[in-house]
Amino acid sequence: MIFPLLVLLVVAIIYIFIKKQYSYWERNGIPSHRPTIPFGNLQSLVKKKRSFGHAIYDLYRNTTEPFIGIYLFFRPALLVRDAALIKNVLLTDFQNFHDRGVYCEPETDPMSATLFALPGRRWKNLRAKLTPAFTSGKLKGMFSTISNIASEFVKVCEPIAENHEAIEIRQIAGRYVADCIATIAFGLDNVSTLNDPDHEFLLNGKEMSQKSGFVGTIRRSAVFLCPNLLKFIGMKGLPTFIKEFCFNLVTKTIKHRELTGEIRKDIMQYLIQLRNNSSNLKNENSNINDDDSLDEKAMSFEQIAGQVFIFYIAGNETSTSTIAYTLYELSQDVDLMRRAQQDIEQTLDKYNGQLTYEAISDMQFVDLCVKETLRKYPFPMLNRECTKEYQIPGTQTVIKKGTAVVVSVLGIHRDEQYFPEPDRYNPDRFASEKHPFNEDMYMPFGMGPRNCIAYRMGLLVSKVAVVMILRHYNIEMVKREELEFDYRGVGLVPKPGQCKIKLVKKVVVE
């Protein structure tokens, strides 16, 4: 008799919980998309029809409200569509939305304490410390390394061009980007995934982003959607094999440089210097209260591994897509390709045929093409968490502390009210000083203090690859079509067999 009553009690509690959760926006007087139990508004994600970013994009397109309530499974979130409100959240009223609200457990899971995930003061202090690693001077120091890897990229494409094969350019571009990150972030000089597609450095990243097992799906979803679930079940933010791989690489590199005194112009060197400076400062201020000196403690090997890992995941996704989609779009329009090649040739003539950091910066039409690629194919969403109760200007609506806030960058960038003819690839939309679009809504790297810290490095890696390919090859279209995207991952990953181009070797006079 007791057992049936207990079952009824549990069922009643679950029912009350679900009813309360899924009436959150109604109770707060905010319009919302109708949820589906137990998926909220992410049923298409669970059924493997849409990626996370595209599921949010669909919600954006299915309403005209300036903001609307949605449910990320059981977690209420506010999807913001209005340009002024987006700018307030990301920039003007940043003090009310300074955290991302993703999984971060610095004490029990040090590798989760990345610049992407850290909240509040910890994020602000780490951001200030890491910013000097991405100055123009630091990028110039990395340029020769990036250029050498791009030269290898060109060589690897030669047999493909000779055979006039159609290639999925995103795959080979991903190997180029992986080699750049291995060298300038991890400090490795013996990684060449361009020549070894089965290298563990590349395969581990693919397994991390594409493995679709139940545990992997839960982990990836919970990091963004319900971080408290990971804490509750005791699951870490990264799978063990990735943590061990990154930690071992970082430990080996740091110990080697400390033993040999080797100094290199890469991000790893800067993190090592940051670790050593923090250690010295900690020793000099050993009497300071632990809470006050929290941000001056030396970075552990795990924390350094976490930083370079997030550079790997974020950089690989955005730079690979930028290279691939730029070349793909240029293959669809021969006139645009010729203009880009002419821009490259004329600029290099000014620099005696030498590809330099300054020459890349001076290529104006190439820059327009990359900008348009990032407009049409951005990382699809941004997320924030309300850290202080906020009344939406001009309304009586209050966003409560702890509420997740979501911006569909893909929705904004492909909304004709912000970007006329949004489906058309048109680099010239950026050519005029008086842009025929809402400049505030162009945000491929985010907006405000929490934008991508490494965006200039990502642009440099992308532009060098595009320039080197266009300098040595003509690009031919395989099939005229708009790309369709896979359900895996958060970013825009094309379905298998798409994003194909052909390369035709040019005669280059060095």
Side-chain angles (χ1 to χ4, degrees):
M1 185 66 182
I2 295 179
F3 181 73
L5 289 175
L6 287 175
V7 171
L8 288 174
L9 179 61
V10 170
V11 171
I13 291 173
I14 293 174
Y15 174 79
I16 293 170
F17 169 78
I18 292 176
K19 187 174 180 62
K20 183 177 180 181
Q21 284 298 106
Y22 285 159
S23 65
Y24 178 85
W25 293 117
E26 183 180 358
R27 287 184 283 113
N28 284 275
I30 294 176
S32 64
H33 283 295
R34 182 171 182 152
T36 300
I37 299 173
F39 312 119
N41 297 118
L42 297 178
Q43 188 173 12
S44 62
L45 171 65
V46 177
K47 291 187 174 182
K48 298 183 178 181
K49 293 182 178 179
R50 303 289 268 175
S51 68
F52 186 21
H54 262 102
I56 299 298
Y57 173 60
D58 292 339
L59 295 172
Y60 177 96
R61 296 187 64 188
N62 289 336
T63 184
T64 57
E65 298 284 348
F67 53 87
I68 189 166
I70 61 175
Y71 295 92
L72 308 178
F73 293 109
F74 290 108
R75 187 185 187 188
L78 191 68
L79 177 62
V80 180
R81 301 179 78 262
D82 176 70
L85 183 54
I86 290 173
K87 189 174 180 180
N88 285 348
V89 168
L90 299 178
L91 180 62
T92 310
D93 297 318
F94 175 76
Q95 68 276 8
N96 293 76
F97 303 93
H98 55 68
D99 292 349
R100 294 189 189 276
V102 298
Y103 171 81
C104 183
E105 287 291 295
E107 285 73 27
T108 59
D109 188 5
M111 277 191 65
S112 71
T114 66
L115 187 64
F116 177 83
L118 279 170
R121 182 168 61 91
R122 288 189 176 187
W123 161 78
K124 184 177 181 180
N125 289 339
L126 183 59
R127 172 91 181 201
K129 291 176 181 178
L130 292 180
T131 295
F134 301 97
T135 61
S136 58
K138 291 289 194 304
L139 294 178
K140 287 181 182 179
M142 300 173 190
F143 183 81
S144 62
T145 298
I146 297 171
S147 180
N148 289 337
I149 298 172
S151 295
E152 193 64 32
F153 184 15
V154 170
K155 290 180 183 178
V156 169
C157 289
E158 284 183 4
I160 300 172
E162 289 175 358
N163 295 328
H164 207 56
E165 300 174 16
I167 60 169
E168 291 190 52
I169 188 61
R170 197 176 188 278
Q171 291 186 2
I172 193 168
R175 286 152 57 191
Y176 156 78
V177 173
D179 287 353
C180 286
I181 294 174
T183 305
I184 61 182
F186 282 84
L188 306 175
D189 54 11
N190 58 348
V191 173
S192 179
T193 66
L194 280 167
N195 293 296
D196 182 10
D198 295 325
H199 195 287
E200 63 175 348
F201 189 83
L202 185 67
L203 295 183
N204 279 326
K206 284 185 176 180
E207 187 173 2
M208 168 67 188
S209 60
Q210 297 180 6
K211 195 172 182 179
S212 57
F214 177 75
V215 174
T217 301
I218 290 294
R219 176 183 279 111
R220 287 198 303 272
S221 300
V223 165
F224 287 95
L225 305 178
C226 40
N228 288 332
L229 175 62
L230 290 182
K231 301 176 187 178
F232 178 75
I233 63 179
M235 184 182 288
K236 305 300 183 183
L238 295 174
T240 301
F241 77 92
I242 282 289
K243 293 179 66 176
E244 291 179 350
F245 176 70
C246 292
F247 178 77
N248 291 337
L249 280 181
V250 166
T251 300
K252 183 178 179 180
T253 301
I254 294 177
K255 289 185 175 180
H256 171 75
R257 294 193 188 183
E258 289 178 344
L259 182 64
T260 63
E262 180 185 6
I263 297 176
R264 297 177 57 169
K265 295 179 180 179
D266 55 26
I267 295 172
M268 178 62 73
Q269 189 66 46
Y270 188 82
L271 290 169
I272 292 172
Q273 292 172 352
L274 189 60
R275 168 183 165 80
N276 292 338
N277 291 340
S278 296
S279 296
N280 294 334
L281 186 59
K282 180 185 176 185
N283 292 333
E284 293 171 6
N285 297 279
S286 58
N287 293 325
I288 295 179
N289 181 275
D290 282 346
D291 290 336
D292 294 333
S293 62
L294 179 65
D295 298 300
E296 302 303 344
K297 291 181 179 179
M299 295 182 73
S300 66
F301 285 3
E302 290 93 341
Q303 289 170 324
I304 292 178
Q307 306 311 320
V308 293
F309 171 76
I310 203 68
F311 291 145
Y312 172 58
I313 288 296
N316 196 295
E317 171 65 37
T318 55
S319 296
T320 296
S321 295
T322 302
I323 296 164
Y325 298 146
T326 299
L327 295 176
Y328 179 81
E329 287 288 353
L330 294 181
S331 77
Q332 301 280 300
D333 191 323
V334 67
D335 290 334
L336 292 181
M337 182 193 70
R338 297 296 185 201
R339 288 176 63 187
Q341 290 176 323
Q342 185 178 30
D343 180 33
I344 293 167
E345 292 167 5
Q346 291 177 347
T347 304
L348 290 178
D349 284 345
K350 293 166 54 179
Y351 292 88
N352 299 317
Q354 298 299 310
L355 185 64
T356 63
Y357 178 85
E358 290 76 15
I360 288 289
S361 302
D362 205 13
M363 294 177 183
Q364 298 180 10
F365 189 70
V366 170
D367 182 61
L368 297 182
C369 291
V370 170
K371 284 180 177 176
E372 177 67 345
T373 298
L374 289 165
R375 195 278 308 170
K376 188 175 180 180
Y377 304 99
F379 188 79
M381 56 172 290
L382 298 171
N383 59 301
R384 295 291 186 270
E385 182 177 86
C386 183
T387 50
K388 182 181 178 182
E389 191 173 275
Y390 181 79
Q391 182 171 341
I392 297 177
T395 74
Q396 298 298 314
T397 302
V398 173
I399 305 176
K400 295 182 179 179
K401 181 179 178 179
T403 302
V405 179
V406 179
V407 176
S408 175
V409 180
L410 181 61
I412 293 291
H413 280 196
R414 294 201 180 190
D415 190 329
E416 62 182 6
Q417 72 171 312
Y418 301 124
F419 295 89
E421 297 183 281
D423 295 328
R424 179 187 171 204
Y425 186 82
N426 178 23
D428 288 314
R429 77 172 75 235
F430 292 93
S432 171
E433 292 184 1
K434 295 182 179 179
H435 295 151
F437 59 86
N438 189 325
E439 294 180 58
D440 288 339
M441 290 299 96
Y442 181 68
M443 45 186 171
F445 299 103
M447 181 195 299
R450 207 139 189 174
N451 69 343
C452 176
I453 191 174
Y455 78 92
R456 290 198 295 177
M457 185 179 76
L459 285 173
L460 182 62
V461 168
S462 301
K463 287 181 180 179
V464 170
V466 170
V467 167
M468 288 290 281
I469 291 296
L470 290 175
R471 189 184 184 192
H472 291 84
Y473 301 99
N474 291 319
I475 309 172
E476 292 184 353
M477 177 180 63
V478 172
K479 186 177 182 180
R480 185 175 300 282
E481 63 180 355
E482 282 292 317
L483 296 174
E484 295 182 2
F485 298 97
D486 205 348
Y487 66 86
R488 288 170 290 188
V490 179
L492 303 181
V493 179
K495 289 183 177 180
Q498 294 207 341
C499 203
K500 286 188 173 183
I501 64 173
K502 287 185 178 180
L503 300 175
V504 179
K505 183 74 174 178
K506 290 172 58 181
V507 177
V508 179
V509 180
E510 300 288 352

